[in-house]
Amino acid sequence: MNAPKLRWVAFGAAVTFLIAVLLTSFFKELEKIDALSAALDSRMEELVNEERKTQKLRQDIRYYSTPEGIARLATEQFNLVHSGDRIYKIEVTSKDGLP
C-alpha cells in the first residue's frame, strides 16, 4: 500500500479549508439576512402604524372642517354653547357640609 503523496494531502487540506470558509460565510450571510428581515418587519409595522395615524388625522381634518365638527370642537374645547342651549350646573356637597 502506497502512502498518499504530499500533493494529494495538500490538495485535500486546501479543499477542506475552502469548504469550511465557504460554509462559514454562507451561514454568516444567512444570519445577516435574518437580522435584515427582522428589521424590515419592524419598520413595516412602524410604517403601517404611522399610516393609520395619518389616516385618522386626515379623517379628523375632514370632520372638523364641517360645520358640525366646528360646533363640536367649540363645545368640547372652548365651552361655547349655541343660543337656546340649556346649561346645567351641578353642585356636589359632601356629607360634612363642605362644598
Side-chain angles (χ1 to χ4, degrees):
M1 189 168 205
N2 291 335
K5 294 189 177 183
L6 184 58
R7 67 178 171 192
W8 289 110
V9 172
F11 178 74
V15 168
T16 304
F17 178 73
L18 182 63
I19 290 173
V21 168
L22 289 175
L23 286 176
T24 302
S25 65
F26 176 74
F27 287 118
K28 289 289 183 182
E29 289 299 318
L30 285 180
E31 288 177 7
K32 286 181 187 178
I33 289 171
D34 287 342
L36 289 173
S37 189
L40 179 65
D41 289 343
S42 71
R43 295 293 178 151
M44 285 299 289
E45 187 175 326
E46 288 176 22
L47 181 63
V48 167
N49 288 336
E50 291 300 320
E51 285 290 330
R52 286 183 184 150
K53 287 179 187 176
T54 303
Q55 178 104 11
K56 173 74 170 96
L57 290 173
R58 285 185 180 150
Q59 183 179 2
D60 288 346
I61 288 171
R62 280 195 306 270
Y63 174 71
Y64 288 118
S65 297
T66 63
E68 296 87 16
I70 292 171
R72 182 174 177 184
L73 185 65
T75 303
E76 289 178 355
Q77 290 191 358
F78 302 110
N79 295 324
L80 299 176
V81 294
H82 291 280
S83 60
D85 284 350
R86 291 186 182 188
I87 301 174
Y88 295 97
K89 182 177 178 183
I90 300 174
E91 291 185 18
V92 178
T93 58
S94 66
K95 293 180 181 180
D96 301 343
L98 299 173

